[in-house]
Structures are given as structure tokens and as C-alpha cells.
Amino acid sequence: MTPAERLLLTAKRCEIDDLEHLTAACDIVGDVSHFVHALQKERGASNVYLASGGQRFAERRHERIDECLATEQALRMRLDALGDTAGRPATTARLLRRIAYVWHALDGLEALRSNIEALQTSPDDATQAFNQLISALLSVVFEVADTAGDPEITLALVAIFHLMQGKELAGQERACGAFGFTCGGFDDAHRQLLLHLIDAQQRCFDTCLEFTTEEGREQWQREMPSRTQDGVQQLREMASGSTPLPKSASPLGETWYELTTRRIDAIQRVEAFLIGELSNLCLAKTLDARHSLSRHDDLFRELGNASPAVCQQLVELFDGSATHELGEVTARVVGSSLNRSLVELMCAQASRLQALSDELESTRRALRERKLIERAKGLIMAHQQMSEEQAYAFLRKMAMDQSKSMAEIAQTVLGLADILKPSTEKPSTEELPAEVRHTDRATS
């Protein structure tokens, strides 16, 4: 076996090692998902328990704690095992540091639960404590996505991270709503928090659906329960409206909790589906790399077939000029075996730069679209007397009805700025274009 062949085999083994340890890091995502879901349920039950002065959800809260303890044990075992792989490709210092913070935060759960049991903390303080722990757990998922070297695996992790982030915001919405309905009303601070959580989680879900697979988007459509969505929306409108809640609103805390829990459970099923896709992707890539390693002849054939292309840019630089011969000499030198590695390096670097440029442009485009949507939403709020949530729902429904993106609809609305100019009266529907009138009737 030649030195080149040995190096090629070593490179393939390194690739397999990278994939195996990346798979181990991705497995953490599944355990974090299960534990976060259990924590979110415990947080919601704890809010009802605290807001009712210990009169409601006492037994259910203990059930949620038992679920958390089981999933926490599985996560601790996984994190402990990862700590033994320090120095491996998928285990960076930042990832291990985040895991250390998570472990420390987990050790404080028992004290938090004791304070909740004794009613020695407020619903807001308890929610904040749960939020910080869940945020630390999600940072581990983000770090895994940030350190993944395979593009397909990275995309899958980005989609999962945004879905988990959106579900966490939905969980915070559940906790906020449970507190307000159980107490019999929402003050301005909690009402604004609720509206912010509704808008922020939708942005996360939109980003997830943009990055996930077609199968993932179909799973989302199948899992979202329309009746539950309608019930949640009705209670959202009650909570965010200016009309005070009726005196009999206290039992709505349990209704809200049940409806939002069904919705979050549906999101969790989508999350489990995407994590399953991720696991299958990691397995398929690892098996493919191992199969390639076992076929030495095919692998070594790459060496014979690998003939780097001439650096055409240098040749074309001199085409048509008096120094064309210098271009040919340059081409021969660059094409020599001595300089092939340099050419490959230049090509690889150019490819990475192009990929970064494409990614940057995609990000800029997404930011531009979001700014358009924000401007259009603000215009609708100002001239149609809608809340922020209603304006966003208005834009989203227009986009769905017309099979267009929200950015396209936002651009259309902004183009109607002259028609929607301020006046002492709300513009009648006859003043608006037909496509907007149709959607306005549908959302009213």
C-alpha cells in the first residue's frame, strides 16, 4: 500500500469517526427534547398550583415531577457519557461548557420544587426559574447544530432547534395564560407578554418549516389539531382583549391549560418526527462511509482518477494579449503534480467562500422579508385598528388564501400605503382592493 493510499484510508476513517461522534451529539438532542417537554408540563402545572394558592393541580403537578425525574435521569447519563469524549471531533470546549452549566442548573431543581410546594415563590419567579433552565438546555442543542460539519445534518438540526425554541415559547404562553385565567384577569404586563410570545413562536415555526424537509412540513400539517387551535385562539382573544374577564373566568385556567397542552403535545410529535429523521440521516451517512471504506479498490481508484483541473482563471487572464504564451506556461506549471494540492486548496477555499456568500445572501433576504412583514403589520395595526396578533394573522391568512409568501403580501400592502392613509374614519372595505376585502371579511 502506497503512502497516498494509506492517507486516503486514514481520511475516510476520520470521516467515519466524525460522523459517529456527531451522531452521539445528535442523540443528546432527542434526550433534551424529552426532558424539556416534561419540564414544560411541570412549569404549567406549577403555575396553576401557585396561582390557585395550592388549591388546583397539586396531584397533577406531582405526576409531572415524576415524568421529569425519569427523563432527567436519561439525559444525565447521556451528558455524563459525552463528558468522557473530550477532545473528540464533535465535542468542543463550548459544548462541554454549556453542558456543565446545564448540569449545575439541574442540581437546583429540587430546591425550586420545594419552594413551589410550600408556596414560597410567586408564579412569575417560578416560571423564570424554569425558563432559565430550559434556555440552557436549548443552548446545548444550538451548540450541537453550530458544530456539525455535515451540511444536511446541520440543516436538520437548525430546523429542530427552531421548532424546540417555538415550542418553548408556546410553553411560556401556556404558563402565562394559566396564571392570568386562574387569577381571573390579565394586567397590562402579562397581556403584552402573551402577545409577544404568540408572535415570537410563530416566527420560530415559520423558520423551522423553511429549513425542514417536505416530509417534515407534511407532518406539521397532519399534527396541528384544528379544533384545539380554534379553542386556543378564542381564549387568546379573551386574554389579550381590553374587555375584563368575567368573574367566573377562574376555571378557564384549567381549560386553557388542557387546550394549550394538546397543542404543545402535537408540536412535540412533530419534534419527535424530525429527530427521527435526523437519526436516520446520521445512520445512513455513517453506513455509506463505512461501505466506502470497505471497498478499497474503488477508494484507491479515486487517486488515479483525481486530476485537478487547470486554474482556468490564470489562463484566461492572458488570453488575447501579447503575453498569451505566459498564460500557457502558467497553466503548465499550475497543472503540474507539484502544484495540484495548491489548486485543490484554492478550489476548496473558493467553494467555501461561495457557500458562505450564498448563506449570507439567504440570511439577508430573510431579514429583508421580515422587515417588510413588520412594516406591513405596523401599517395594518395603525389603519385597521388591529392588535399586533390580529395584523399578523391577517397577513398570514392573505398569504394562504392567495398562495403567496407573506413577504409578497407585505409588499402589496405597503404598496397600498396611499389608499390606507390616516383618516378620521376607518376605511371602508369598498376602498380596499378585492383581494384585501375578501381576506378582511374572512378574518373578521
Side-chain angles (χ1 to χ4, degrees), residues 60-78:
R60 184 173 300 189
R61 175 176 163 270
H62 285 289
E63 292 174 356
R64 300 305 183 219
I65 291 175
D66 290 340
E67 291 177 14
C68 276
L69 291 174
T71 54
E72 179 186 345
Q73 183 63 27
L75 177 62
R76 281 183 183 269
M77 292 177 62
R78 183 85 69 180

Side-chain angles (χ1 to χ4, degrees), residues 127-342:
T127 296
Q128 184 63 24
F130 279 113
N131 291 356
Q132 289 176 351
L133 174 56
I134 293 173
S135 177
L137 288 161
L138 291 182
S139 74
V140 172
V141 178
F142 174 81
E143 196 61 50
V144 173
D146 194 40
T147 56
D150 185 279
E152 288 184 86
I153 293 176
T154 300
L155 284 177
L157 283 166
V158 167
I160 291 170
F161 172 73
H162 281 89
L163 183 62
M164 293 178 71
Q165 197 175 30
K167 185 164 75 70
E168 163 56 10
L169 294 170
Q172 291 185 27
E173 180 195 2
R174 174 175 58 187
C176 178
F179 169 73
F181 281 116
T182 303
C183 290
F186 292 81
D187 56 24
D188 288 339
H190 285 87
R191 190 178 295 113
Q192 290 301 317
L193 174 61
L194 198 67
L195 291 173
H196 171 74
L197 291 170
I198 292 169
D199 185 63
Q201 66 185 272
Q202 187 57 51
R203 292 175 182 276
C204 289
F205 295 144
D206 289 343
T207 303
C208 168
L209 295 176
E210 179 182 350
F211 282 96
T212 193
T213 61
E214 183 61 33
E215 291 79 9
R217 286 187 282 271
E218 291 174 358
Q219 184 71 12
W220 172 270
Q221 294 296 330
R222 283 194 296 268
E223 289 292 352
M224 286 300 102
S226 57
R227 287 186 179 180
T228 299
Q229 292 279 72
D230 292 342
V232 170
Q233 183 60 31
Q234 184 177 357
L235 290 177
R236 280 175 170 176
E237 292 173 359
M238 290 180 61
S240 59
S242 57
T243 305
L245 296 178
K247 294 182 178 180
S248 59
S250 180
L252 288 177
E254 295 188 24
T255 303
W256 166 266
Y257 181 86
E258 294 297 335
L259 287 173
T260 51
T261 295
R262 289 180 198 170
R263 177 171 178 263
I264 292 172
D265 286 344
I267 299 171
Q268 172 66 14
R269 290 192 292 272
V270 179
E271 196 172 293
F273 178 85
L274 297 187
I275 291 172
E277 279 193 328
L278 173 63
S279 297
N280 292 334
L281 179 61
C282 290
L283 178 61
K285 285 185 172 291
T286 303
L287 290 176
D288 182 63
R290 286 176 179 167
H291 180 67
S292 176
L293 179 63
S294 66
R295 300 170 62 181
H296 288 186
D297 292 341
D298 291 343
L299 193 62
F300 295 157
R301 198 172 293 120
E302 294 180 14
L303 292 173
N305 295 334
S307 53
V310 170
C311 188
Q312 192 63 31
Q313 290 86 347
L314 288 177
V315 177
E316 292 174 353
L317 182 65
F318 299 103
D319 280 349
S321 70
T323 56
H324 179 65
E325 293 78 8
L326 180 59
E328 293 176 347
V329 171
T330 303
R332 286 197 296 273
V333 173
V334 172
S336 70
S337 58
L338 183 63
N339 288 283
R340 285 180 182 177
S341 60
L342 177 60

